[in-house]
């Protein structure tokens, strides 16, 4: 049986439907992420799971029990907030001990478990500090320890890394994964950062306008987006209007005035169907125009600009009909930092299995 | 002059001032306890999400805040006993000073409670919403959220306005002279009338009021220092 079941949950605020008939399940021990842009309904959903808000219709079921009549404080669910919400008048140790003390645990047990929790989040020697004497990363660790110390069935994390700088966020991501595996508590994580979602989750539900657009494992989501929104929201993508010219083992697509390309086939599409062709920049090879490529899809173009990131460079290439493609090239060749300059003539190519044809 | 005998009862004038000071302190202290307890309770209730509770709290604050203190003093002393027969018979039988004291304490206590309620409410509402939610998420019932999470911080935040309110209460106690309570201002005026040394009498009263207010101020500052959360409030104060 799934740990958490969301069954046809809807929540409206006046005319605005924040969550629209959403259903999914979360398995015990899973790291599940709700990903989407602001206003997509992910936080509303999280608040309903926590019990801070109630659905207008549908059910939230934990361990087979409908939570409708269970107030927030009685749910075996803890929340870690983006703002940390540490209690400023309590020390680190008091903050972490607080849920245990309120649950009436004996002093000995409280001490042992606080010590364990402090060690788990690497806050040793900071137990007697107050929250305002801690850095953002340290506060986040206290919030995590406080959320986990009473061993909830479910830990909800509302953009917990949103307030940290990039370097620290990456470090905390690694610790979150380690922590979640270590304690075995089920996490439901809310974020608008696709990189964070991909790095952390077992499964991701991509939300938009109150509905789940796609729910999948990170690699499936990135590699096989089901629709235009998901393709665009997760990672970078080249996206161009296309019409199906022929079906068969591979799809033949008419890419406007650019010409025809071969693309992976898809069930249920007929010749003449309009849609978009999407392909990730890292699936587009780039080489000098004079060099030959074995790929069936290839076009010559001119480098319009490039973004040098360090480990990779993204080249922005204009094709003869004005279409613009991005191609990603790792800077892995020793002794060479960059391959092409603006104005260079290049050849873009990709395999027939790369990319996807999606509904417009 | 203060060492001269007063016309009544074989006491010296300074003793009249001391007895007035005693009444002032007694009225202020009792009223302050009432004001703090009631004010905290009503201020807290006004931040809960129950409509009727909030409405009662609002009505309380508006009622006691919108009637002039002097009028309230008269209402408690002259009008309230008319509505409660038991109270009226007690007022008639009791030492007038006791009835005056009770009226003054109730009047100042309730008047100040409305003002403290507003401060407590502001203190609670100044805390981030996450604090309440975090308390609930960690399994606290609503009264516990207030007791352990919200009020400890709210009170720390409102210590400065609470200090002003305490000092106001002490100074407002002089209004009790209008119903005949022989507190400090009453005695100062009395001495002035007996001796025609109004200047000396009121200078003495002024100095005493200033001393009490400063003492109250010091005590509150001490409380503020003792309860300060490291790195939080009073950050730039030192």
């Amino acid at each position: 049986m799934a740990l958490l079941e969301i069954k046809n949950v809807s929540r409206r605020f006046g005319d605005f439907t924040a969550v629209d008939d959403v259903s999914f399940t979360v398995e015990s021990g899973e790291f599940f992420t709700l990903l989407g842009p602001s206003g997509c309904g992910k936080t509303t959903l999280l608040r309903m799971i926590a019990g801070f808000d109630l659905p207008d219709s549908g059910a939230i079921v934990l361990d087979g029990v409908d939570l409708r009549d269970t107030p927030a404080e009685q749910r075996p669910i803890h929340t870690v907030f983006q703002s940390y919400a540490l209690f400023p008048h309590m020390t680190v140790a008091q903050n972490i001990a607080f849920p245990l003390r309120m649950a009436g645990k004996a002093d000995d047990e409280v001490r042992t478990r606080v010590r364990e929790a402090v060690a788990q989040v690497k806050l040793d020697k900071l137990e007697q500090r107050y929250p305002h004497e801690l850095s953002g990363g340290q506060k986040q660790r206290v919030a995590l320890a406080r959320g986990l110390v009473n061993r909830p069935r479910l830990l909800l994390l509302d953009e917990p890394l949103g307030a940290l700088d990039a370097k620290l966020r990456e470090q905390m991501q690694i610790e979150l994964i380690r922590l979640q595996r270590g304690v075995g508590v089920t996490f439901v994580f809310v974020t608008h950062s696709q990189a964070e979602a991909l790095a952390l989750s077992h499964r991701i539900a991509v939300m938009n306008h109150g509905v789940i657009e796609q729910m999948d494992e990170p690699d499936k989501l990135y590699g096989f987006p089901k629709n235009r929104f998901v393709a665009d929201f997760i990672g970078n993508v080249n996206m161009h209007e296309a019409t199906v010219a022929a079906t068969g083992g591979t799809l033949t697509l008419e890419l406007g005035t650019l010409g025809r390309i071969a693309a992976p086939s898809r069930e249920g599409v007929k010749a003449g169907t309009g849609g978009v062709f999407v392909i990730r920049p890292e699936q587009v090879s780039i080489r000098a125009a004079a060099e030959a490529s074995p790929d069936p899809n290839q076009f010559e173009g001119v480098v319009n600009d490039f973004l040098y990131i360090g480990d990779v460079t993204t080249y922005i290439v204009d094709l003869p009909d004005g279409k613009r493609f991005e191609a990603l090239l790792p800077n892995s060749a020793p002794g060479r930092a960059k391959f092409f300059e603006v104005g260079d003539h290049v050849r873009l190519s990709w395999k027939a299995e790369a990319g996807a044809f999606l509904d417009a | 002059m203060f060492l001269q005998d007063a016309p009544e009862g074989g006491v010296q004038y300074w003793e009249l001032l001391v007895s007035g000071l005693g009444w002032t302190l007694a009225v202020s202290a009792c009223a302050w306890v009432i004001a703090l307890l009631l004010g905290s309770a009503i201020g807290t209730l006004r931040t809960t999400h129950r409509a009727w509770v909030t409405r009662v709290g609002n009505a309380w604050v508006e009622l006691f805040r919108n009637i002039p203190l002097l009028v309230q003093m008269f209402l408690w002393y002259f009008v309230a006993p008319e509505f409660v027969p038991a109270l009226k018979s007690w007022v008639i039988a009791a030492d007038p000073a006791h009835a005056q004291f009770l009226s003054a304490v109730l009047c100042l206590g309730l008047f100040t409670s409305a003002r403290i309620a507003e401060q407590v409410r502001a203190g609670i509402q100044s805390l981030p919403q996450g604090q309440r939610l975090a308390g609930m998420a960690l399994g606290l019932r609503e009264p516990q959220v207030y007791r352990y999470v919200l009020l400890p911080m709210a009170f720390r935040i409102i210590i400065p306005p609470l200090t002003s309110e305490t000092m106001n209460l002490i100074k407002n106690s002089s209004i009790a002279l209008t119903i005949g309570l022989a507190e400090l201002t009453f005695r100062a005026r009395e001495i002035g009338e007996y001796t025609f040394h109004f200047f000396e009498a009121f200078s003495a009263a002024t100095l005493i009021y200033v001393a009490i207010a400063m003492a109250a101020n010091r005590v509150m500052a001490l409380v503020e220092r003792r309860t300060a959360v490291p790195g939080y409030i009073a950050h730039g104060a030192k």
Side-chain angles (χ1 to χ4, degrees):
Chain A
M1 190 178 61
L3 176 73
L4 176 72
E5 293 171 79
I6 305 295
K7 293 179 177 170
N8 306 102
V9 165
S10 294
R11 180 77 175 100
R12 281 169 291 275
F13 299 100
D15 289 341
F16 176 71
T17 305
V19 176
D20 190 2
D21 197 25
V22 165
S23 297
F24 62 87
T25 60
V26 179
E27 300 298 325
S28 185
E30 195 173 15
F31 196 128
F32 186 88
T33 297
L34 293 166
L35 170 67
S38 6
C40 74
K42 57 192 192 300
T43 299
T44 305
L45 195 51
L46 198 77
R47 287 172 54 88
M48 290 191 285
I49 299 173
F52 303 140
D53 197 3
L54 287 175
D56 293 318
S57 60
I60 296 169
V61 178
L62 186 79
D63 279 323
V65 180
D66 190 333
L67 293 181
R68 172 155 278 277
D69 297 322
T70 312
E73 64 268 24
Q74 283 169 30
R75 300 187 182 191
I77 297 174
H78 287 180
T79 307
V80 174
F81 299 89
Q82 179 175 8
S83 58
Y84 318 122
L86 298 178
F87 303 135
H89 57 296
M90 300 183 197
T91 62
V92 168
Q94 287 166 341
N95 260 286
I96 298 174
F98 189 68
L100 297 171
R101 295 218 181 277
M102 289 295 110
K105 299 272 190 274
D107 281 355
D108 280 352
E109 192 185 349
V110 172
R111 264 195 297 279
T112 322
R113 278 169 66 174
V114 168
R115 208 177 309 127
E116 280 170 18
V118 164
Q120 238 163 17
V121 295
K122 301 181 185 159
L123 281 171
D124 314 74
K125 301 203 175 73
L126 296 176
E127 292 104 316
Q128 297 315 317
R129 295 264 190 102
Y130 284 87
H132 282 264
E133 302 173 310
L134 301 177
S135 69
Q138 289 166 340
K139 283 185 208 173
Q140 190 52 262
R141 285 163 210 262
V142 179
L144 279 169
R146 191 180 65 178
L148 286 168
V149 73
N150 209 9
R151 294 171 197 154
R153 295 288 289 146
L154 193 61
L155 188 69
L156 307 177
L157 301 105
D158 186 7
E159 308 241 4
L161 310 181
L164 304 179
D165 60 66
K167 189 94 187 166
L168 198 55
R169 199 178 313 150
E170 206 165 291
Q171 202 179 322
M172 280 304 291
Q173 283 178 14
I174 296 167
E175 292 206 18
L176 259 184
I177 297 176
R178 186 185 56 81
L179 199 62
Q180 199 261 343
R181 312 265 142 101
V183 295
V185 169
T186 309
F187 279 24
V188 173
F189 187 89
V190 157
T191 182
H192 64 265
S193 153
Q194 43 102 7
E196 216 164 271
L198 293 175
L200 294 171
S201 326
H202 293 125
R203 274 191 315 146
I204 300 170
V206 181
M207 288 188 73
N208 190 30
H209 298 310
V211 299
I212 293 182
E213 297 275 358
Q214 186 175 353
M215 185 157 53
D216 239 322
E217 288 155 31
D219 53 330
K220 301 242 173 61
L221 210 55
Y222 184 82
F224 307 100
K226 275 193 188 135
N227 60 41
R228 203 181 160 144
F229 175 80
V230 176
D232 197 28
F233 190 71
I234 310 246
N236 289 325
V237 74
N238 295 298
M239 189 181 300
H240 293 288
E241 303 288 327
T243 315
V244 178
T247 57
T250 55
L251 277 183
T252 306
L253 299 176
E254 189 83 52
L255 234 56
T257 50
L258 186 63
R260 295 193 166 191
I261 59 162
S265 69
R266 203 185 106 193
E267 267 178 48
V269 293
K270 295 192 289 283
T273 311
V276 288
F277 172 72
V278 295
I279 186 166
R280 300 279 179 204
E282 66 269 24
Q283 292 176 317
V284 179
S285 307
I286 180 169
R287 49 170 61 83
E291 285 178 41
S293 160
D295 295 333
N297 305 310
Q298 43 182 298
F299 301 96
E300 280 183 38
V302 178
V303 175
N304 173 282
D305 209 346
F306 58 85
L307 294 166
Y308 178 75
I309 317 281
D311 50 351
V312 294
T313 304
T314 300
Y315 293 95
I316 297 156
V317 177
D318 284 341
L319 298 187
D321 74 330
K323 283 199 174 57
R324 193 165 272 186
F325 272 75
E326 290 184 9
L328 198 80
L329 196 62
N331 295 319
S332 52
R336 210 169 157 188
K338 208 161 60 183
F339 293 85
F340 305 105
E341 294 293 344
V342 173
D344 282 359
H345 285 266
V346 292
R347 180 181 303 281
L348 298 184
S349 69
W350 60 92
K351 297 184 166 51
E353 310 87 89
F357 175 69
L358 303 173
D359 295 334
Chain B
M1 174 203 104
F2 291 111
L3 295 177
Q4 289 168 12
D5 283 341
E8 47 173 311
V11 289
Q12 295 176 341
Y13 283 122
W14 70 269
E15 286 174 288
L16 286 184
L17 277 182
V18 168
S19 120
L21 170 64
W23 281 110
T24 292
L25 289 178
V27 167
S28 303
C30 294
W32 190 78
V33 170
I34 291 176
L36 192 66
L37 291 178
L38 269 176
S40 306
I42 288 158
T44 302
L45 289 177
R46 291 185 78 189
T47 63
T48 61
H49 299 295
R50 283 181 201 83
W52 68 271
V53 175
T54 315
R55 237 172 278 141
V56 169
N58 292 350
W60 181 280
V61 170
E62 293 312 323
L63 178 69
F64 289 104
R65 210 168 49 162
N66 293 351
I67 303 173
L69 183 57
L70 185 58
V71 175
Q72 289 192 37
M73 193 64 88
F74 289 157
L75 286 174
W76 280 110
Y77 188 62
F78 297 116
V79 181
E82 299 298 327
F83 289 97
V84 188
L87 188 62
K88 191 176 182 186
S89 49
W90 178 78
V91 167
I92 291 167
D95 180 342
H98 291 164
Q100 289 155 358
F101 177 76
L102 183 73
S103 300
V105 164
L106 281 176
C107 170
L108 288 167
L110 299 187
F111 174 79
T112 311
S113 81
R115 301 171 57 95
I116 289 182
E118 276 299 85
Q119 289 160 9
V120 169
R121 180 175 71 96
I124 292 171
Q125 287 175 346
S126 74
L127 300 171
Q129 172 76 0
Q131 293 283 304
R132 181 194 295 267
L133 295 183
M136 286 161 69
L138 293 172
L140 270 67
R141 282 175 284 111
E142 198 177 12
Q144 291 178 310
V145 172
Y146 278 101
R147 161 71 183 81
Y148 296 106
V149 176
L150 299 179
L151 289 177
M153 280 317 293
F155 274 115
R156 284 174 167 89
I157 290 170
I158 63 165
I159 286 175
L162 216 47
T163 306
S164 309
E165 215 46 67
T166 305
M167 292 159 76
N168 274 342
L169 171 60
I170 294 166
K171 289 177 285 181
N172 284 342
S173 69
S174 61
I175 301 271
L177 88 90
T178 57
I179 57 168
L181 185 70
E183 47 69 68
L184 187 54
T185 310
F186 182 98
R187 290 301 189 189
R189 200 178 61 161
E190 190 181 31
I191 295 169
E193 279 166 359
Y194 283 145
T195 62
F196 293 101
H197 288 289
F198 280 100
F199 180 83
E200 290 84 349
F202 278 101
S203 299
T206 303
L207 286 176
I208 294 171
Y209 275 120
V210 168
I212 306 171
M214 280 172 70
N217 191 348
R218 290 295 93 201
V219 169
M220 293 298 270
L222 184 70
V223 172
E224 188 170 356
R225 262 204 308 284
R226 278 290 173 80
T227 57
V229 173
Y232 198 71
I233 321 165
H235 207 59
K238 281 171 231 160

